[in-house]
Amino acid sequence: MRRNSVLAMVALCAAGALHAETMDRMVLSRGGVVLEVSAPASGIMRIRMGRGTLPEDASWAVPAAARRTRLPLNVTRGSDVLQLSAAHIGARIDMRTLRVDVLDGVGKLLLADLAGRSALSGEGGFRMRGRMSGDDHVFGLGDKTGTFDRKGGAYTMWNSDTYKFTQATDPLYKTIPFFMTVSDRGQAYGLFLDNTWRTTFDFGKTERGMLSISGEGGPVDYYVMAGPAPKDVLQQYARLTGTPPLMPQWALGFQQSKWSYKTDAEVRAIAQRLRSERMPSDVVYMDIDYQDRSRPFTVNGATFPDMRKLATDLRGQGIRLVLITDPHVANAPGQGYAAYDGGAARDLFLKLPGGQYYSGDVWPGAAVFPDFSRVQARRWWGDLYAGFVGDGVAGFWNDMNEPSIFNVPSKTMPLDVVHRIESDDFAPRSTSHAEMHNVYGQLNSRATYEGLARLQPDVRPFVLTRATYAGGQRYAATWTGDNVSSWQHLKTGMQQLVNLGLSGFSWVGNDVGGYAGEPPSPELLTRWFQLGAFMPLFRAHAETGRPDQEPWVGDAVQVEIRRRFISERYRLLPYLYATAEENSRSGIPLLRPVFLNFPSVLANGDRLGGSEDQFMVGGDLLLAPSPTLESPGDYNVELPGKDWYDYWTGRRLDGKSQTVKPDIAQLPVYVRPGAIIPKQPLVQSTAFVPEGRLELHVYPGADCHGDLYADDGISMAYQRGSFLRQHIRCEESQSGLKILFEQREGSWRPWWSGVELYIHGWESDAPPEVHAFGAAVAASVDRAQKAALIQVPDMVNGSVEISRSR
Ligand code: MIG
């Protein structure tokens, strides 16, 4: 077999002579430990190690296609050392210890391995150790609180229902064992440990300067990604674990939720109020109380007599329904409860080692749990959505899937519950909950996503999940669970969402206004709406038993501010949607720390060049809330360069540094010089087609460009060419500015009748002379905004030349 022949080659060459050869993976064995090193893609090294044999080559995170490719490795053999190199990545293996140092493409050390084969314990656990560089910052690991930079911290992976979590709570709801380190020079590498068991990541907490990754079980199977830029690491990670799908456009709309809107009349009243208050919105959520006795896939017919009519009527107002469907199926044999009966008839529920069902108490009382690690169970689960989908329900919310169990100290199921793996390229086998716990939520959301895709192949599924595992971004959006209405949570929440974006999850949000605790003050609620308006997922939600928390709660001044920010989000949808579409191809998140777009800010050291308090939406908008959100004191914003613009006034700013005087009516937003930002006329829902012109805001500066992307927003027709994609550039010259509309791609015909150009930073009072398609076009000047305004026809390609009049 292949492995034996490689081993034989190594034995022959061990005499010490140097020579080079090429192979697609290196397998070595020493002291009963087998090591494999391979390069699945450019800039990525995969390392697997096991006792006696390699761990199984299967994964819930990395699809087979991404694991099966192996780039050629150039191997240079020394007496005790093997040097491997592939495209933009390398490794140095010590043949005695099986330590694998990972190198970048030019041979520079990225990660020094200090454990090698001694990482494996006799009992099936492991502890890897590596040396971190002194100036490395650490980001990622998904949804974690604590410090924004994870250096000096230690984190555990064990999906947990953590009501009212704090800065000190760990673990939380998700397991994403992927992080990147970034140096002060902006050089990054990433590491992803593909292991679903309980693991711990220690970034120099126990031992200064040492990275240690340990676990009680499961494979040593990890990937090191060479960057070198932080964005490169994200793309390498996306290459392995996938990108989020292009979500329906309405997922970018404002979403109103509460535990619970309890009756048909209440849901209608909320929808009506959103419209009468002119709060643009796309979604109303229905939490557990719509169900019959909290049983998933039932409806309480007394309070919701006609779901189809409700969904249809709301759809007419541009509002879609998202329903919660928890994984805990009521343990109710012989009662005509279809979800139980169907799962039991097919033998799809989890069992104890003795063979009886595992039953745990959750909302319905005693409940049983689908074994989502079986493809058959996932199919059955997905089919359960047929009824709701037929009624016109648009999306689904998978909660409690850590899984969360009431009335037991562990808050989850016993570790000896037996799961049966029958899926993907895993060898069919039974295993314990210890292996499947952290991936249960991901597989739950996968079953939902795949079910929806089967039921309506031409409709983009929308799934929101609480628990997940790496790779789960392919199936669902996520939120950060049960936060608290506090200023601290508003701030920490932003960092959680930014770190989720650095962990492959771009479709993320938190409960706007806060879920639990004392109700938010009007100011806190307003600030949360302001920041929420720029989050990928903009969803207001609150616990049962609290006072109302919808955007219209409080005095008219506060309500008007919230309305203004929600409306601004809708005006920005063309920009947000183009960013989301790019994300579906690249994996670069919507919400970004400043250093992701501008790695050089890290050299400024202080507060990570602003990345701790400020963040960017897409490539062009920088948001700078106060580092102490509730404080009235002035604060300073350091922009990543000169000549930035103020988003709200449109005016060019002097200098890199801005002093901000906090004002509850304002949220400082800055625009990159060189940005071209598309905006649209206000609509009250993405279901309504805007009327009039597309606005293109041009902010002259270096590297001037922007993107348009449009399609029908809901179907898969974009995959068949029914989309519009267009790259726009601008060039400054002595005489003025030239805007180049590159050739438009795709067959989608957009809603706009023409384009209104806003040329910002127009210092002159005289309007420019403008030629579009070679023909003269009228222009005017907005003196307050210092912008030139020009109406041009829809530019499928061609250029607009703008010159200062003489
Ligand atoms: O035990 O469905 O995080 O958003 O409102 C609580 C009721 C269960 C927890 C979720 C929350 C939801 C609530 N759920």
Side-chain angles (χ1 to χ4, degrees), residues 161 173 259 287-288 324 326 363 397 399-400 406 466 479 481-482 511 515 539 541-542:
D161 181 353
Y173 303 88
W259 177 15
D287 207 327
I288 49 176
I324 202 167
D326 289 342
W363 289 116
W397 175 16
D399 186 21
M400 303 295 277
F406 297 162
R466 192 169 70 177
W479 90 109
D482 297 342
D511 289 356
Y515 175 80
R539 173 177 175 266
H541 182 60

Side-chain angles (χ1 to χ4, degrees), residues 24-43:
D24 75 342
R25 58 181 194 151
M26 171 59 72
V27 181
L28 296 169
S29 172
R30 192 89 188 194
V33 170
V34 187
L35 169 78
E36 180 202 70
V37 181
S38 63
S42 171

Side-chain angles (χ1 to χ4, degrees), residues 62-332:
V62 186
R67 275 179 292 112
R68 291 291 143 75
T69 17
R70 292 194 190 119
L71 302 184
L73 290 173
N74 286 314
V75 185
T76 310
R77 300 165 188 279
S79 51
D80 289 321
V81 176
L82 288 171
Q83 291 264 9
L84 312 184
S85 70
H88 303 291
I89 193 86
R92 188 168 53 217
I93 309 174
D94 180 317
M95 292 200 275
R96 292 159 308 178
T97 59
L98 299 188
R99 292 182 183 186
V100 186
D101 295 339
V102 182
L103 317 172
D104 71 6
V106 295
K108 192 176 77 75
L109 182 65
L110 294 175
L111 183 60
D113 176 14
L114 301 176
R117 65 190 166 93
S118 72
L120 299 183
S121 82
E123 293 77 52
F126 62 92
R127 177 158 184 258
M128 313 189 313
R129 281 172 80 236
R131 188 175 287 119
M132 309 202 325
S133 145
D135 70 345
D136 276 348
H137 308 283
V138 184
F139 304 99
L141 292 192
D143 192 11
K144 298 286 183 192
T145 51
T147 54
F148 177 56
D149 179 351
R150 311 216 179 284
K151 183 178 173 172
Y155 302 87
T156 296
M157 300 296 173
W158 190 252
N159 293 359
S160 306
D161 181 353
T162 43
Y163 176 68
K164 281 183 161 180
F165 59 88
T166 70
Q167 283 287 88
T169 310
D170 182 66
L172 297 176
Y173 303 88
K174 308 177 218 308
T175 293
I176 308 172
F178 163 61
F179 65 89
M180 70 163 84
T181 75
V182 191
S183 77
D184 288 343
R185 283 153 292 117
Q187 294 255 323
Y189 70 85
L191 189 150
F192 168 48
L193 173 69
D194 193 1
N195 179 323
T196 60
W197 295 59
R198 181 194 282 265
T199 55
T200 298
F201 288 70
D202 185 320
F203 301 108
K205 184 178 186 193
T206 314
E207 256 185 298
R208 212 193 144 103
M210 289 303 167
L211 162 69
S212 131
I213 305 174
S214 52
E216 297 163 356
V220 170
D221 182 354
Y222 65 102
Y223 300 80
V224 178
M225 290 144 268
K231 272 189 184 170
D232 299 325
V233 174
L234 289 183
Q235 282 179 290
Q236 287 153 356
Y237 180 70
R239 168 134 201 178
L240 294 173
T241 64
T243 57
L246 178 57
M247 298 266 172
Q249 192 178 30
W250 56 261
L252 284 174
F254 172 57
Q255 317 191 8
Q256 181 64 56
S257 181
K258 178 192 175 163
W259 177 15
S260 299
Y261 297 127
K262 283 199 171 119
T263 62
D264 179 283
E266 201 179 344
V267 171
R268 288 171 188 273
I270 289 294
Q272 193 51 50
R273 186 87 189 260
L274 286 163
R275 289 291 169 258
S276 66
E277 295 275 354
R278 296 199 66 74
M279 296 293 178
S281 42
D282 270 76
V283 186
V284 172
Y285 278 68
M286 289 171 47
D287 207 327
I288 49 176
D289 299 303
Y290 77 85
Q291 303 167 120
D292 172 19
R293 288 164 287 167
S294 298
R295 294 180 172 191
F297 300 99
T298 66
V299 173
N300 180 340
T303 45
F304 289 93
D306 192 342
M307 190 67 81
R308 180 171 303 192
K309 184 154 188 339
L310 178 62
T312 310
D313 292 350
L314 260 52
R315 194 67 75 89
Q317 295 172 279
I319 299 228
R320 290 177 153 84
L321 283 179
V322 172
L323 263 53
I324 202 167
T325 51
D326 289 342
H328 43 239
V329 171
N331 190 352

Side-chain angles (χ1 to χ4, degrees), residues 10 58 128 217 222 244 292 374 407 421 574 735 780 782:
V10 172
M128 313 189 313
Y222 65 102
D292 172 19
R374 300 174 61 188
N407 309 324
I421 298 178
S735 56
S780 61
D782 179 326

